[in-house]
Coordinates of all heavy atoms in Angstrom, one line a residue:
M1 N 0.8 -1.2 0.0 CA 0.0 0.0 0.0 C 0.9 1.2 0.0 O 1.8 1.3 0.7 CB -0.9 0.0 1.2 CG -1.9 1.1 1.3 SD -2.9 1.0 2.8 CE -2.5 2.6 3.5
T2 N 0.6 2.2 -0.9 CA 1.3 3.4 -0.9 C 0.4 4.6 -0.4 O -0.8 4.5 -0.6 CB 1.8 3.8 -2.3 OG1 0.7 3.9 -3.1 CG2 2.8 2.7 -2.8
I3 N 1.0 5.5 0.2 CA 0.3 6.7 0.6 C 0.9 7.9 0.0 O 2.1 8.0 -0.3 CB 0.2 6.8 2.2 CG1 1.6 6.9 2.7 CG2 -0.6 5.7 2.8 CD1 1.7 7.2 4.2
N4 N 0.1 9.0 -0.2 CA 0.6 10.2 -0.7 C -0.2 11.3 0.0 O -1.3 11.6 -0.2 CB 0.3 10.3 -2.2 CG 0.9 11.6 -2.8 OD1 1.9 12.1 -2.3 ND2 0.2 12.2 -3.7
I5 N 0.5 11.9 1.0 CA -0.1 13.0 1.8 C 0.5 14.3 1.3 O 1.7 14.6 1.4 CB 0.3 12.8 3.3 CG1 -0.1 11.4 3.8 CG2 -0.2 13.9 4.1 CD1 0.5 10.9 5.0
D6 N -0.4 15.1 0.6 CA 0.1 16.3 0.0 C -0.8 17.5 0.2 O -0.6 18.5 -0.5 CB 0.2 16.0 -1.5 CG -1.2 15.9 -2.2 OD1 -2.2 15.7 -1.4 OD2 -1.3 15.9 -3.4
R7 N -1.6 17.4 1.3 CA -2.5 18.6 1.5 C -3.1 18.6 2.9 O -3.1 17.6 3.6 CB -3.6 18.7 0.5 CG -4.6 17.6 0.7 CD -5.5 17.4 -0.6 NE -4.7 17.1 -1.7 CZ -4.9 17.7 -2.9 NH1 -5.8 18.6 -3.1 NH2 -4.1 17.3 -3.9
C8 N -3.5 19.8 3.3 CA -4.4 19.9 4.5 C -5.8 19.4 4.0 O -6.4 20.1 3.1 CB -4.5 21.3 5.0 SG -5.8 21.6 6.2
Y9 N -6.2 18.3 4.4 CA -7.5 17.8 3.9 C -8.7 18.6 4.4 O -9.7 18.7 3.6 CB -7.6 16.3 4.3 CG -6.6 15.5 3.5 CD1 -5.3 15.2 4.0 CD2 -6.8 15.1 2.2 CE1 -4.4 14.5 3.3 CE2 -5.9 14.4 1.4 CZ -4.7 14.1 2.0 OH -3.7 13.5 1.3
C10 N -8.6 19.1 5.5 CA -9.8 19.9 6.1 C -10.0 21.1 5.2 O -11.1 21.5 5.0 CB -9.6 20.2 7.5 SG -9.5 18.8 8.6
E11 N -8.9 21.8 4.8 CA -9.1 23.0 4.0 C -8.9 22.8 2.5 O -9.1 23.7 1.7 CB -8.0 24.1 4.5 CG -8.3 24.7 5.9 CD -9.4 25.7 5.9 OE1 -9.8 26.2 4.8 OE2 -10.0 25.9 6.9
Q12 N -8.5 21.6 2.2 CA -8.3 21.2 0.7 C -7.3 22.2 0.1 O -7.5 22.7 -1.0 CB -9.6 21.2 0.0 CG -10.4 20.0 0.3 CD -9.7 18.7 -0.1 OE1 -9.2 18.5 -1.2 NE2 -9.6 17.8 0.8
K13 N -6.2 22.4 0.8 CA -5.1 23.3 0.3 C -3.8 22.4 0.3 O -3.5 21.8 1.3 CB -4.9 24.5 1.2 CG -6.1 25.4 1.1 CD -6.0 26.6 1.9 CE -7.3 27.5 1.8 NZ -7.4 28.6 2.7
T14 N -3.1 22.4 -0.8 CA -2.0 21.6 -1.0 C -0.8 22.1 -0.2 O -0.6 23.3 0.0 CB -1.5 21.4 -2.4 OG1 -1.1 22.7 -2.9 CG2 -2.7 20.9 -3.3
F15 N 0.1 21.2 0.2 CA 1.3 21.6 0.9 C 2.2 22.4 -0.1 O 2.9 23.3 0.3 CB 2.1 20.4 1.4 CG 1.4 19.6 2.5 CD1 1.5 18.3 2.6 CD2 0.6 20.3 3.4 CE1 0.9 17.5 3.6 CE2 0.0 19.6 4.4 CZ 0.1 18.2 4.5
A16 N 2.1 22.1 -1.4 CA 2.9 22.9 -2.3 C 2.5 24.4 -2.3 O 3.4 25.2 -2.2 CB 2.7 22.3 -3.7
Y17 N 1.2 24.6 -2.3 CA 0.7 26.0 -2.2 C 1.1 26.6 -0.8 O 1.6 27.7 -0.8 CB -0.8 26.0 -2.4 CG -1.5 27.2 -1.9 CD1 -1.4 28.4 -2.7 CD2 -2.2 27.3 -0.7 CE1 -2.0 29.6 -2.2 CE2 -2.7 28.5 -0.2 CZ -2.6 29.6 -1.0 OH -3.2 30.8 -0.5
L18 N 0.8 25.9 0.2 CA 1.0 26.4 1.6 C 2.5 26.7 1.9 O 2.9 27.7 2.4 CB 0.5 25.5 2.6 CG -1.1 25.3 2.6 CD1 -1.5 24.1 3.4 CD2 -1.8 26.6 3.1
I19 N 3.4 25.8 1.5 CA 4.8 26.0 1.8 C 5.4 27.0 0.9 O 6.2 27.8 1.4 CB 5.5 24.6 1.6 CG1 5.1 23.7 2.8 CG2 7.0 24.7 1.6 CD1 5.4 22.3 2.7
E20 N 5.0 27.1 -0.3 CA 5.4 28.2 -1.2 C 5.0 29.6 -0.6 O 5.8 30.5 -0.6 CB 4.9 28.0 -2.6 CG 5.6 28.9 -3.7 CD 5.1 30.3 -3.7 OE1 3.9 30.6 -3.4 OE2 5.9 31.2 -4.0
L21 N 3.8 29.7 -0.2 CA 3.3 30.9 0.4 C 4.1 31.2 1.7 O 4.5 32.4 1.9 CB 1.8 30.7 0.8 CG 1.2 31.9 1.6 CD1 1.1 33.1 0.7 CD2 -0.2 31.4 2.1
A22 N 4.3 30.2 2.5 CA 5.1 30.5 3.8 C 6.5 30.9 3.5 O 7.0 31.9 4.2 CB 5.1 29.2 4.6
R23 N 7.1 30.3 2.5 CA 8.5 30.7 2.2 C 8.5 32.1 1.6 O 9.4 32.9 2.0 CB 9.1 29.7 1.3 CG 9.4 28.4 2.0 CD 10.2 27.5 1.2 NE 10.9 26.5 2.1 CZ 11.7 25.6 1.7 NH1 12.0 25.5 0.5 NH2 12.3 24.8 2.6
R24 N 7.6 32.4 0.8 CA 7.6 33.7 0.1 C 7.3 34.8 1.1 O 7.9 35.9 1.1 CB 6.5 33.7 -1.0 CG 6.4 35.0 -1.7 CD 5.5 35.0 -3.0 NE 4.6 33.9 -3.1 CZ 3.3 34.0 -2.8 NH1 2.8 35.1 -2.3 NH2 2.5 32.9 -2.9
E25 N 6.4 34.6 2.1 CA 6.0 35.6 3.0 C 6.6 35.4 4.4 O 6.1 36.1 5.3 CB 4.5 35.7 3.0 CG 3.9 36.0 1.6 CD 2.6 36.6 1.6 OE1 2.1 37.0 2.6 OE2 2.0 36.6 0.5
K26 N 7.5 34.5 4.5 CA 8.2 34.2 5.8 C 7.2 34.0 6.9 O 7.3 34.6 8.0 CB 9.1 35.4 6.1 CG 10.1 35.8 5.0 CD 11.4 36.3 5.5 CE 12.4 36.6 4.4 NZ 12.6 35.7 3.3
L27 N 6.3 33.0 6.7 CA 5.3 32.6 7.7 C 5.8 31.3 8.3 O 6.4 30.5 7.7 CB 4.0 32.4 7.0 CG 3.4 33.5 6.1 CD1 2.1 33.0 5.4 CD2 3.2 34.7 6.9
N28 N 5.4 31.2 9.6 CA 5.6 29.9 10.3 C 4.3 29.1 10.2 O 3.3 29.6 9.7 CB 6.2 30.0 11.7 CG 5.2 30.8 12.6 OD1 4.0 30.9 12.3 ND2 5.8 31.4 13.6
V29 N 4.2 28.0 10.9 CA 3.0 27.2 10.8 C 1.8 27.9 11.5 O 0.7 27.8 11.0 CB 3.3 25.8 11.4 CG1 2.0 25.0 11.5 CG2 4.3 25.0 10.5
R30 N 2.1 28.5 12.6 CA 1.0 29.2 13.3 C 0.5 30.4 12.4 O -0.7 30.6 12.3 CB 1.5 29.8 14.6 CG 0.4 30.5 15.4 CD 0.9 30.9 16.8 NE 0.9 29.7 17.6 CZ -0.1 29.1 18.1 NH1 -1.4 29.5 17.8 NH2 0.0 28.0 18.9
D31 N 1.4 31.1 11.7 CA 1.0 32.1 10.8 C 0.1 31.5 9.7 O -1.0 32.1 9.3 CB 2.1 32.8 10.1 CG 3.1 33.5 11.1 OD1 2.6 34.0 12.1 OD2 4.3 33.6 10.8
L32 N 0.5 30.4 9.1 CA -0.3 29.7 8.1 C -1.6 29.4 8.6 O -2.6 29.5 7.9 CB 0.5 28.5 7.6 CG 1.5 28.6 6.5 CD1 2.2 27.3 6.2 CD2 0.9 29.2 5.2
A33 N -1.7 28.9 9.8 CA -3.0 28.5 10.4 C -3.9 29.7 10.5 O -5.1 29.6 10.1 CB -2.8 27.9 11.8
G34 N -3.4 30.8 10.9 CA -4.2 32.0 11.0 C -4.7 32.5 9.7 O -5.8 33.0 9.5
R35 N -3.8 32.4 8.6 CA -4.2 33.0 7.3 C -5.0 32.0 6.5 O -5.9 32.4 5.8 CB -2.9 33.3 6.6 CG -2.4 34.7 7.0 CD -1.5 35.3 6.1 NE -1.6 35.1 4.7 CZ -0.8 35.7 3.8 NH1 0.2 36.4 4.3 NH2 -1.0 35.5 2.5
E36 N -4.6 30.7 6.5 CA -5.2 29.7 5.6 C -6.1 28.7 6.2 O -6.8 28.0 5.6 CB -4.1 29.0 4.8 CG -3.2 29.9 4.0 CD -3.9 30.6 2.8 OE1 -4.7 29.9 2.2 OE2 -3.7 31.7 2.6
G37 N -6.1 28.7 7.6 CA -7.0 27.8 8.3 C -6.4 26.4 8.5 O -7.0 25.6 9.2
C38 N -5.3 26.1 7.8 CA -4.7 24.8 7.9 C -4.2 24.6 9.3 O -3.6 25.4 9.9 CB -3.6 24.6 6.9 SG -2.4 25.9 7.0
G39 N -4.5 23.4 9.8 CA -4.0 23.1 11.2 C -5.0 23.5 12.3 O -4.8 23.1 13.4
T40 N -6.1 24.1 11.9 CA -7.0 24.6 12.9 C -8.2 23.7 13.1 O -9.1 24.0 13.9 CB -7.5 26.0 12.6 OG1 -8.3 26.0 11.3 CG2 -6.4 27.0 12.5
H41 N -8.3 22.6 12.3 CA -9.4 21.7 12.4 C -9.0 20.4 13.1 O -8.8 20.4 14.3 CB -10.0 21.4 11.1 CG -10.4 22.7 10.3 ND1 -11.4 23.5 10.7 CD2 -9.7 23.3 9.3 CE1 -11.4 24.6 9.9 NE2 -10.4 24.5 9.1
C42 N -8.7 19.4 12.4 CA -8.2 18.2 13.0 C -6.7 18.2 13.5 O -6.3 17.5 14.3 CB -8.4 17.0 12.1 SG -7.2 16.9 10.7
G43 N -6.0 19.1 12.8 CA -4.5 19.3 13.2 C -3.6 18.3 12.6 O -2.4 18.3 12.8
W44 N -4.1 17.4 11.8 CA -3.3 16.3 11.2 C -2.2 16.8 10.4 O -1.1 16.3 10.3 CB -4.2 15.4 10.5 CG -3.6 14.1 10.1 CD1 -3.1 13.1 10.9 CD2 -3.3 13.7 8.7 NE1 -2.6 12.1 10.1 CE2 -2.7 12.4 8.8 CE3 -3.5 14.2 7.5 CZ2 -2.3 11.7 7.7 CZ3 -3.2 13.5 6.4 CH2 -2.5 12.3 6.5
C45 N -2.4 18.0 9.7 CA -1.4 18.5 8.7 C -0.2 19.2 9.4 O 0.7 19.6 8.7 CB -2.1 19.4 7.7 SG -2.9 20.8 8.5
I46 N -0.3 19.6 10.6 CA 0.7 20.4 11.3 C 2.1 19.9 11.2 O 3.0 20.6 10.8 CB 0.3 20.7 12.7 CG1 -1.0 21.6 12.8 CG2 1.4 21.5 13.5 CD1 -1.6 21.7 14.1
A47 N 2.2 18.6 11.5 CA 3.6 18.0 11.5 C 4.1 18.0 10.1 O 5.3 18.2 9.9 CB 3.5 16.6 12.0
Y48 N 3.3 17.8 9.1 CA 3.7 17.8 7.7 C 4.1 19.2 7.2 O 5.1 19.4 6.5 CB 2.6 17.2 6.8 CG 2.4 15.7 7.1 CD1 1.3 15.4 8.0 CD2 3.2 14.7 6.6 CE1 1.1 14.1 8.4 CE2 2.9 13.4 7.0 CZ 1.9 13.1 7.8 OH 1.7 11.8 8.2
L49 N 3.3 20.2 7.6 CA 3.7 21.5 7.2 C 5.0 21.9 7.9 O 5.9 22.6 7.3 CB 2.6 22.5 7.7 CG 1.3 22.4 6.8 CD1 0.2 23.2 7.5 CD2 1.6 23.0 5.4
R50 N 5.2 21.6 9.1 CA 6.4 21.9 9.9 C 7.6 21.2 9.2 O 8.6 21.9 8.9 CB 6.3 21.5 11.3 CG 7.3 22.1 12.2 CD 6.9 21.9 13.7 NE 5.9 22.9 14.1 CZ 4.8 22.7 14.8 NH1 4.6 21.5 15.3 NH2 4.0 23.7 15.1
R51 N 7.5 20.0 8.8 CA 8.5 19.3 8.1 C 8.8 19.9 6.8 O 9.9 20.1 6.4 CB 8.2 17.8 8.0 CG 9.1 16.9 7.2 CD 10.4 16.5 7.9 NE 10.1 15.8 9.1 CZ 10.2 14.5 9.3 NH1 10.4 13.7 8.3 NH2 10.0 13.9 10.5
G52 N 7.7 20.2 6.0 CA 7.9 20.8 4.7 C 8.6 22.1 4.7 O 9.4 22.4 3.8
L53 N 8.3 22.9 5.8 CA 9.0 24.2 5.9 C 10.5 24.0 6.1 O 11.3 24.8 5.6 CB 8.4 25.0 7.0 CG 7.0 25.6 6.7 CD1 6.5 26.3 7.9 CD2 7.1 26.6 5.6
R54 N 10.8 22.9 6.8 CA 12.2 22.7 7.1 C 12.9 22.1 5.8 O 14.1 22.4 5.6 CB 12.3 21.7 8.2 CG 13.0 22.2 9.4 CD 13.3 21.2 10.5 NE 12.8 19.9 10.4 CZ 11.8 19.4 11.0 NH1 11.0 20.1 11.8 NH2 11.4 18.1 10.8
T55 N 12.3 21.2 5.1 CA 12.9 20.4 4.1 C 12.6 20.8 2.7 O 13.2 20.4 1.7 CB 12.6 18.9 4.3 OG1 11.2 18.7 4.0 CG2 13.0 18.4 5.7
G56 N 11.4 21.5 2.5 CA 11.0 21.8 1.1 C 10.1 20.7 0.6 O 9.5 20.8 -0.5
E57 N 9.9 19.6 1.3 CA 9.0 18.5 0.8 C 7.5 19.0 0.8 O 7.1 19.7 1.7 CB 9.0 17.3 1.8 CG 10.3 16.5 1.8 CD 10.3 15.6 3.0 OE1 10.7 16.0 4.1 OE2 10.0 14.4 2.8
T58 N 6.8 18.6 -0.3 CA 5.4 19.0 -0.4 C 4.5 17.8 -0.5 O 3.3 18.0 -0.7 CB 5.2 19.9 -1.6 OG1 5.7 19.2 -2.8 CG2 6.0 21.2 -1.5
A59 N 5.1 16.6 -0.5 CA 4.3 15.4 -0.5 C 5.1 14.3 0.3 O 6.3 14.3 0.3 CB 4.1 14.9 -1.9
F60 N 4.3 13.5 1.0 CA 5.0 12.6 1.9 C 4.4 11.2 1.7 O 3.2 11.0 1.6 CB 4.7 13.0 3.4 CG 5.2 14.4 3.7 CD1 4.4 15.5 3.3 CD2 6.4 14.6 4.2 CE1 4.8 16.8 3.6 CE2 6.8 15.9 4.5 CZ 6.0 17.0 4.1
D61 N 5.3 10.2 1.7 CA 4.8 8.8 1.5 C 5.0 8.1 2.8 O 5.2 6.9 2.8 CB 5.5 8.1 0.4 CG 7.0 8.0 0.5 OD1 7.5 8.5 1.5 OD2 7.6 7.5 -0.4
Y62 N 5.1 8.8 3.9 CA 5.2 8.2 5.2 C 4.4 9.1 6.2 O 4.1 10.2 6.0 CB 6.7 8.2 5.6 CG 7.4 9.6 5.5 CD1 7.4 10.5 6.6 CD2 8.0 10.0 4.3 CE1 8.0 11.7 6.5 CE2 8.6 11.2 4.2 CZ 8.7 12.1 5.3 OH 9.3 13.3 5.2
L63 N 4.1 8.4 7.4 CA 3.3 9.1 8.4 C 4.2 9.7 9.4 O 5.3 9.3 9.7 CB 2.4 8.0 9.1 CG 1.4 7.3 8.2 CD1 0.7 6.2 9.0 CD2 0.4 8.3 7.7
L64 N 3.7 10.9 9.9 CA 4.4 11.6 11.0 C 3.5 11.6 12.2 O 2.3 11.6 12.1 CB 4.7 13.0 10.6 CG 5.8 13.2 9.5 CD1 5.8 14.7 9.1 CD2 7.1 12.8 10.0
P65 N 4.1 11.6 13.4 CA 3.3 11.7 14.6 C 2.6 13.1 14.6 O 3.1 14.1 14.2 CB 4.3 11.6 15.8 CG 5.6 11.2 15.2 CD 5.5 11.5 13.7
K66 N 1.4 13.1 15.2 CA 0.6 14.3 15.2 C 1.3 15.3 16.1 O 1.8 15.0 17.2 CB -0.8 14.0 15.7 CG -1.7 15.2 15.6 CD -3.2 14.8 15.8 CE -4.1 16.0 15.7 NZ -5.5 15.7 16.0
E67 N 1.3 16.6 15.7 CA 1.8 17.7 16.5 C 0.8 18.7 16.7 O -0.1 18.8 15.9 CB 3.1 18.3 15.8 CG 4.2 17.4 15.7 CD 5.4 18.1 15.0 OE1 5.4 19.3 14.9 OE2 6.3 17.3 14.6
G68 N 0.9 19.5 17.7 CA 0.0 20.6 17.9 C 0.6 22.0 17.4 O 1.8 22.1 17.2
L69 N -0.3 23.0 17.3 CA 0.2 24.3 16.9 C 1.2 24.9 17.9 O 2.0 25.7 17.6 CB -0.9 25.2 16.7 CG -1.6 25.1 15.3 CD1 -2.9 26.0 15.3 CD2 -0.7 25.5 14.2
D70 N 1.1 24.4 19.2 CA 1.9 25.0 20.2 C 3.3 24.3 20.3 O 4.1 24.7 21.0 CB 1.2 24.8 21.6 CG 0.0 25.8 21.7 OD1 0.1 26.8 21.0 OD2 -0.9 25.4 22.4
S71 N 3.5 23.3 19.5 CA 4.8 22.7 19.4 C 5.8 23.7 18.8 O 5.3 24.6 18.2 CB 4.8 21.4 18.5 OG 3.9 20.5 19.0
E72 N 7.0 23.5 19.1 CA 8.0 24.5 18.6 C 7.9 24.6 17.1 O 7.9 23.6 16.3 CB 9.4 24.0 19.0 CG 10.5 25.0 18.6 CD 11.8 24.5 19.0 OE1 11.9 23.8 20.1 OE2 12.8 24.7 18.3
D73 N 7.8 25.8 16.6 CA 7.7 26.1 15.1 C 9.1 26.0 14.5 O 10.1 26.5 15.1 CB 7.1 27.5 14.8 CG 5.6 27.4 14.8 OD1 5.1 26.4 14.3 OD2 5.0 28.3 15.3
A74 N 9.2 25.4 13.3 CA 10.4 25.4 12.6 C 10.8 26.8 12.1 O 9.9 27.6 11.8 CB 10.3 24.5 11.4
A75 N 12.0 27.1 12.1 CA 12.5 28.4 11.6 C 12.2 28.4 10.1 O 12.4 27.4 9.4 CB 13.9 28.6 11.9
V76 N 11.7 29.6 9.7 CA 11.4 29.7 8.2 C 12.6 30.3 7.5 O 13.2 31.2 8.0 CB 10.2 30.5 8.0 CG1 9.9 30.7 6.5 CG2 9.0 29.9 8.7
Ligands
LIG9 S1 -5.8 18.1 7.7 FE1 -5.2 20.2 8.1 S2 -6.5 20.7 9.8 FE2 -7.2 18.7 9.2

């Protein structure tokens, strides 16, 4: 079985869009949550956004443990 996690499913916004926006406007995950709503519902995407901001990844074929918005934000 393969998985492809590439978006905040609650907001239907791709990580490619969100990470490009964050890098362009120097936003952290909390900023993204406030502007785009991602991470403010089930919170499942937070760990992926945080990892994507660090590495540039916009799609994941592996699972990450759930993180909260109050976890340490990655430097942008
Ligand atoms: S998947 Fe992003 S808040 Fe639910």
